[in-house]
Amino acid sequence: MKSNGSYGEAEEKAIEEFRYAFKDQHFPPGSTVFYRQSPTGTLGLSFSKDETIPENEYAVIENKALSEAVLETMIGEIPVSPALKQSLTTRFYEFLKEDNSKTE
């Protein structure tokens, strides 16, 4: 965010909220972190310690720059985890392929 000039007090506060959301979390094997990004830039965070999908979000952070930065770390040109990016790509492709077969 600093590199593209979108870092100010609001972003600093959003980063603190993001850190706080993870502060007391422990992720045993099989845990999942769910990220939700809205078109307006809201970042929703949920955590699951098993295979269930949480009904409620643990934290909601209203900051478009942070939301976009988090997404960039996953699917950007240089992702934190290339394996995660490949997994998302494959799953998204399969989802779209499945959805198209239903409309034919």
Side-chain angles (χ1 to χ4, degrees):
M1 291 185 299
K2 287 183 180 181
S3 65
N4 69 10
S6 64
Y7 188 84
E9 287 183 31
E11 287 70 34
E12 188 173 329
K13 180 180 180 282
I15 290 168
E16 284 304 314
E17 290 178 43
F18 187 80
R19 284 185 185 136
Y20 186 77
F22 284 90
K23 182 180 178 188
D24 295 325
Q25 297 296 324
H26 302 281
F27 299 103
S31 298
T32 305
V33 178
F34 293 89
Y35 298 92
R36 177 187 60 83
Q37 183 182 34
S38 77
T40 60
T42 299
L43 176 63
L45 300 170
S46 316
F47 307 111
S48 176
K49 306 297 189 215
D50 51 33
E51 295 179 4
T52 61
I53 297 175
E55 290 185 24
N56 300 306
E57 290 176 319
Y58 181 80
V60 176
I61 303 167
E62 303 283 342
N63 188 280
K64 189 170 186 168
L66 176 67
S67 182
E68 289 174 351
V70 169
L71 184 61
E72 180 72 18
T73 66
M74 290 181 239
I75 64 171
E77 188 175 331
I78 304 172
V80 172
S81 169
L84 170 66
K85 183 176 178 177
Q86 181 60 46
S87 174
L88 289 171
T89 302
T90 301
R91 294 169 108 188
F92 193 62
Y93 171 77
E94 291 298 323
F95 172 76
L96 290 176
K97 193 169 83 173
E98 180 181 304
D99 194 48
N100 282 338
S101 69
K102 291 179 183 178
T103 60
E104 295 176 354

